Protein backbone atom coordinates (compact mmCIF):
# COMPACT_ATOMS: atom_id res chain seq x y z
CA UNK A 1 0.00 0.00 0.00
CA UNK A 2 1.38 3.39 -0.99
CA UNK A 3 0.26 6.86 0.06
CA UNK A 4 -1.78 7.30 -3.12
CA UNK A 5 -3.83 4.20 -2.37
CA UNK A 6 -4.35 5.25 1.26
CA UNK A 7 -5.67 8.61 0.09
CA UNK A 8 -7.94 6.85 -2.39
CA UNK A 9 -9.21 4.55 0.34
CA UNK A 10 -9.84 7.46 2.69
CA UNK A 11 -11.67 9.66 0.18
CA UNK A 12 -13.81 6.92 -1.34
CA UNK A 13 -14.76 5.58 2.09
CA UNK A 14 -15.71 9.12 3.10
CA UNK A 15 -17.95 9.29 0.03
CA UNK A 16 -19.47 5.88 0.79
CA UNK A 17 -20.25 7.01 4.32
CA UNK A 18 -21.93 10.21 3.17
CA UNK A 19 -24.04 8.52 0.49
CA UNK A 20 -25.09 5.52 2.59
CA UNK A 21 -26.04 7.67 5.59
CA UNK A 22 -28.09 9.98 3.36
CA UNK A 23 -30.04 7.07 1.87
CA UNK A 24 -30.59 5.38 5.23
CA UNK A 25 -31.51 8.69 6.91
CA UNK A 26 -34.19 9.53 4.34
CA UNK A 27 -35.52 5.96 4.40
CA UNK A 28 -35.79 5.81 8.19
CA UNK A 29 -37.71 9.08 8.46
CA UNK A 30 -39.48 9.06 5.13
CA UNK A 31 -42.84 9.69 6.79
CA UNK A 32 -41.46 12.95 8.15
CA UNK A 33 -39.51 14.00 5.06
CA UNK A 34 -42.00 12.97 2.39
CA UNK A 35 -43.88 16.27 2.58
CA UNK A 36 -40.74 18.17 1.53
CA UNK A 37 -40.52 16.08 -1.64
CA UNK A 38 -44.21 16.32 -2.49
CA UNK A 39 -44.10 20.11 -2.07
CA UNK A 40 -40.67 20.21 -3.72
CA UNK A 41 -39.20 22.23 -0.85
CA UNK A 42 -35.66 22.23 -2.20
CA UNK A 43 -34.18 24.25 0.67
CA UNK A 44 -35.43 21.81 3.31
CA UNK A 45 -34.38 18.79 1.25
CA UNK A 46 -30.86 20.15 0.74
CA UNK A 47 -30.48 21.18 4.39
CA UNK A 48 -31.44 17.67 5.53
CA UNK A 49 -29.20 16.13 2.86
CA UNK A 50 -26.17 18.20 3.86
CA UNK A 51 -26.76 17.34 7.52
CA UNK A 52 -26.98 13.62 6.73
CA UNK A 53 -23.85 13.80 4.56
CA UNK A 54 -21.97 15.50 7.40
CA UNK A 55 -23.10 12.82 9.85
CA UNK A 56 -22.10 10.20 7.27
CA UNK A 57 -18.61 11.68 7.03
CA UNK A 58 -18.30 11.35 10.82
CA UNK A 59 -19.44 7.72 10.67
CA UNK A 60 -16.94 7.11 7.88
CA UNK A 61 -14.07 8.55 9.90
CA UNK A 62 -15.07 6.40 12.88
CA UNK A 63 -15.10 3.39 10.56
CA UNK A 64 -11.67 4.21 9.18
CA UNK A 65 -10.21 4.69 12.65
CA UNK A 66 -11.58 1.28 13.61
CA UNK A 67 -10.19 -0.29 10.44
CA UNK A 68 -6.67 1.00 10.92
CA UNK A 69 -6.80 0.10 14.62
CA UNK A 70 -7.78 -3.45 13.73
CA UNK A 71 -4.95 -3.79 11.18
CA UNK A 72 -2.56 -2.93 14.00
CA UNK A 73 -4.27 -5.22 16.53
CA UNK A 74 -4.32 -8.08 14.01
CA UNK A 75 -0.56 -7.86 13.43
CA UNK A 76 -0.01 -7.50 17.16
CA UNK A 77 -2.15 -10.58 17.84
CA UNK A 78 -0.28 -12.67 15.28
CA UNK A 79 3.00 -11.61 16.87
CA UNK A 80 1.91 -12.49 20.41
CA UNK A 81 0.16 -15.81 19.73
CA UNK A 82 2.68 -16.93 17.08
CA UNK A 83 0.21 -18.96 15.01
CA UNK A 84 -2.77 -17.77 12.99
CA UNK A 85 -4.83 -20.74 14.22
CA UNK A 86 -4.48 -19.73 17.89
CA UNK A 87 -5.17 -16.07 17.13
CA UNK A 88 -8.25 -17.07 15.12
CA UNK A 89 -9.52 -19.20 18.02
CA UNK A 90 -9.22 -16.21 20.36
CA UNK A 91 -11.04 -14.04 17.86
CA UNK A 92 -13.90 -16.57 17.69
CA UNK A 93 -14.27 -16.41 21.48
CA UNK A 94 -14.37 -12.60 21.34
CA UNK A 95 -16.95 -12.69 18.53
CA UNK A 96 -19.24 -14.95 20.58
CA UNK A 97 -18.79 -12.73 23.65
CA UNK A 98 -19.69 -9.56 21.72
CA UNK A 99 -22.77 -11.12 20.09
CA UNK A 100 -23.93 -12.33 23.51
CA UNK A 101 -23.39 -8.84 24.93
CA UNK A 102 -25.37 -7.23 22.12
CA UNK A 103 -28.35 -9.38 23.06
CA UNK A 104 -28.20 -10.05 26.79
CA UNK A 105 -26.70 -6.89 28.24
CA UNK A 106 -28.66 -4.56 25.93
CA UNK A 107 -31.81 -6.38 26.99
CA UNK A 108 -30.91 -6.07 30.65
CA UNK A 109 -30.15 -2.35 30.34
CA UNK A 110 -32.91 -1.14 28.05
CA UNK A 111 -35.80 -3.61 27.94
CA UNK A 112 -39.11 -2.50 29.39
CA UNK A 113 -40.89 -4.81 31.80
CA UNK A 114 -42.32 -7.76 29.89
CA UNK A 115 -40.59 -6.80 26.63
CA UNK A 116 -39.52 -9.67 24.38
CA UNK A 117 -35.87 -10.32 23.52
CA UNK A 118 -36.83 -10.78 19.85
CA UNK A 119 -35.92 -7.28 18.67
CA UNK A 120 -32.52 -7.53 20.41
CA UNK A 121 -31.85 -10.93 18.84
CA UNK A 122 -32.89 -9.76 15.37
CA UNK A 123 -30.60 -6.73 15.47
CA UNK A 124 -27.62 -8.87 16.50
CA UNK A 125 -28.60 -11.46 13.89
CA UNK A 126 -28.63 -8.80 11.18
CA UNK A 127 -25.09 -7.80 12.16
CA UNK A 128 -23.92 -11.43 12.15
CA UNK A 129 -25.51 -12.34 8.80
CA UNK A 130 -24.14 -9.25 7.05
CA UNK A 131 -20.71 -9.92 8.56
CA UNK A 132 -20.74 -13.57 7.50
CA UNK A 133 -21.51 -12.53 3.92
CA UNK A 134 -18.66 -10.01 3.86
CA UNK A 135 -16.23 -12.47 5.48
CA UNK A 136 -17.14 -15.10 2.88
CA UNK A 137 -16.45 -12.66 0.04
CA UNK A 138 -13.14 -11.74 1.68
CA UNK A 139 -12.25 -15.43 1.92
CA UNK A 140 -13.06 -15.87 -1.78
CA UNK A 141 -10.80 -12.93 -2.58
CA UNK A 142 -7.87 -14.26 -0.57
CA UNK A 143 -7.83 -17.56 1.34
CA UNK A 144 -9.63 -19.53 4.05
CA UNK A 145 -7.52 -18.05 6.84
CA UNK A 146 -8.97 -14.60 6.10
CA UNK A 147 -12.51 -15.62 7.08
CA UNK A 148 -12.21 -15.34 10.89
CA UNK A 149 -10.22 -12.06 10.92
CA UNK A 150 -12.75 -10.54 8.51
CA UNK A 151 -15.65 -11.78 10.62
CA UNK A 152 -13.98 -10.42 13.77
CA UNK A 153 -13.52 -7.03 12.18
CA UNK A 154 -17.07 -6.87 10.87
CA UNK A 155 -18.68 -7.91 14.17
CA UNK A 156 -16.40 -6.88 17.03
CA UNK A 157 -14.90 -3.69 15.59
CA UNK A 158 -18.27 -2.57 14.20
CA UNK A 159 -19.84 -3.11 17.63
CA UNK A 160 -17.13 -0.97 19.25
CA UNK A 161 -17.63 1.78 16.66
CA UNK A 162 -21.39 1.53 17.22
CA UNK A 163 -21.17 2.24 20.98
CA UNK A 164 -22.37 5.90 20.80
CA UNK A 165 -25.69 4.80 19.25
CA UNK A 166 -25.92 1.76 21.53
CA UNK A 167 -25.72 4.01 24.57
CA UNK A 168 -28.55 6.20 23.30
CA UNK A 169 -30.56 3.11 22.26
CA UNK A 170 -32.94 5.09 20.05
CA UNK A 171 -34.30 3.03 17.16
CA UNK A 172 -33.54 5.40 14.27
CA UNK A 173 -30.06 6.23 15.56
CA UNK A 174 -29.21 2.56 15.99
CA UNK A 175 -29.87 1.84 12.32
CA UNK A 176 -28.66 5.22 11.06
CA UNK A 177 -25.22 4.49 12.50
CA UNK A 178 -25.06 0.71 12.11
CA UNK A 179 -25.85 0.40 8.40
CA UNK A 180 -23.31 3.02 7.17
CA UNK A 181 -20.68 1.57 9.52
CA UNK A 182 -21.24 -1.90 8.09
CA UNK A 183 -21.11 -0.59 4.53
CA UNK A 184 -17.94 1.46 5.17
CA UNK A 185 -16.24 -1.40 7.01
CA UNK A 186 -17.13 -3.89 4.28
CA UNK A 187 -15.96 -1.46 1.60
CA UNK A 188 -12.58 -0.92 3.24
CA UNK A 189 -12.05 -4.60 3.96
CA UNK A 190 -12.78 -5.69 0.39
CA UNK A 191 -11.10 -2.76 -1.35
CA UNK A 192 -7.88 -3.29 0.61
CA UNK A 193 -7.45 -6.68 -1.07
CA UNK A 194 -7.82 -5.14 -4.53
CA UNK A 195 -5.43 -2.30 -3.76
CA UNK A 196 -2.85 -4.74 -2.41
CA UNK A 197 -3.20 -6.96 -5.48
CA UNK A 198 -2.75 -3.97 -7.81
CA UNK A 199 0.44 -3.01 -6.00
CA UNK A 200 1.81 -6.56 -6.23
CA UNK A 201 0.97 -6.76 -9.93
CA UNK A 202 3.01 -3.65 -10.77
CA UNK A 203 6.53 -4.34 -12.10
CA UNK A 204 9.38 -3.47 -9.79
Amino acid sequence: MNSRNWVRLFLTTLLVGGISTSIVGFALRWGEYQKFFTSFDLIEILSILFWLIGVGFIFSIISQMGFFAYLTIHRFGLGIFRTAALWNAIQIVLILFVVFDLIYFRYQLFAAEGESTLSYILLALFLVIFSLAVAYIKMQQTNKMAFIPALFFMIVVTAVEWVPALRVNEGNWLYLMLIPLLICNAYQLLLLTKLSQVKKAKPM
Side-chain angles (χ1 to χ4, degrees), residues 26 32-42 44-45 48:
F26 277 115
E32 181 181 337
Y33 297 148
Q34 186 178 10
K35 60 185 178 183
F36 300 131
F37 287 88
T38 53
S39 63
F40 201 66
D41 191 340
L42 192 59
E44 281 292 340
I45 293 171
I48 295 167

Side-chain angles (χ1 to χ4, degrees), residues 136-183:
Y136 178 78
I137 296 171
K138 180 70 175 181
M139 181 182 70
Q140 295 295 105
Q141 284 184 336
T142 53
N143 54 65
K144 292 181 179 180
M145 293 302 293
F147 182 82
I148 297 302
L151 189 64
F152 178 90
F153 170 68
M154 291 301 301
I155 293 177
V156 176
V157 177
T158 299
V160 173
E161 296 167 349
W162 194 25
V163 164
L166 289 172
R167 287 180 175 174
V168 175
N169 198 48
E170 196 278 324
N172 283 343
W173 272 105
L174 285 172
Y175 289 103
L176 182 65
M177 190 172 191
L178 174 61
I179 296 174
L181 282 177
L182 284 173
I183 293 172

Side-chain angles (χ1 to χ4, degrees), residues 22-188:
S22 299
I23 295 171
V24 173
F26 277 115
L28 287 173
R29 304 183 69 176
W30 178 246
E32 181 181 337
Y33 297 148
Q34 186 178 10
K35 60 185 178 183
F36 300 131
F37 287 88
T38 53
S39 63
F40 201 66
D41 191 340
L42 192 59
I43 294 176
E44 281 292 340
I45 293 171
L46 288 177
S47 63
I48 295 167
L49 178 62
F50 289 148
W51 182 81
L52 287 171
I53 289 173
V55 172
F57 285 168
I58 294 172
F59 292 164
S60 171
I61 291 170
I62 292 172
S63 168
Q64 295 186 61
M65 290 171 62
F67 182 61
F68 293 125
Y70 174 68
L71 292 178
T72 303
I73 292 169
H74 182 60
R75 288 298 172 190
F76 192 64
L78 287 173
I80 290 178
F81 299 107
R82 301 296 181 182
T83 64
L86 179 57
W87 174 226
N88 282 349
I90 292 169
Q91 289 181 96
I92 291 172
V93 173
L94 292 173
I95 289 168
L96 294 174
F97 179 75
V98 167
V99 173
F100 175 78
D101 279 358
L102 285 174
I103 299 171
Y104 179 76
F105 287 113
R106 283 191 63 238
Y107 180 78
Q108 292 296 316
L109 286 172
F110 300 113
E113 187 176 351
E115 184 180 357
S116 170
T117 59
L118 182 61
S119 61
Y120 298 88
I121 294 172
L122 289 177
L123 190 57
L125 188 62
F126 170 73
L127 172 61
V128 170
I129 291 173
F130 188 95
S131 301
L132 283 170
V134 174
Y136 178 78
I137 296 171
K138 180 70 175 181
M139 181 182 70
Q140 295 295 105
Q141 284 184 336
T142 53
N143 54 65
K144 292 181 179 180
M145 293 302 293
F147 182 82
I148 297 302
L151 189 64
F152 178 90
F153 170 68
M154 291 301 301
I155 293 177
V156 176
V157 177
T158 299
V160 173
E161 296 167 349
W162 194 25
V163 164
L166 289 172
R167 287 180 175 174
V168 175
N169 198 48
E170 196 278 324
N172 283 343
W173 272 105
L174 285 172
Y175 289 103
L176 182 65
M177 190 172 191
L178 174 61
I179 296 174
L181 282 177
L182 284 173
I183 293 172
C184 288
N185 285 343
Y187 176 78
Q188 291 178 95

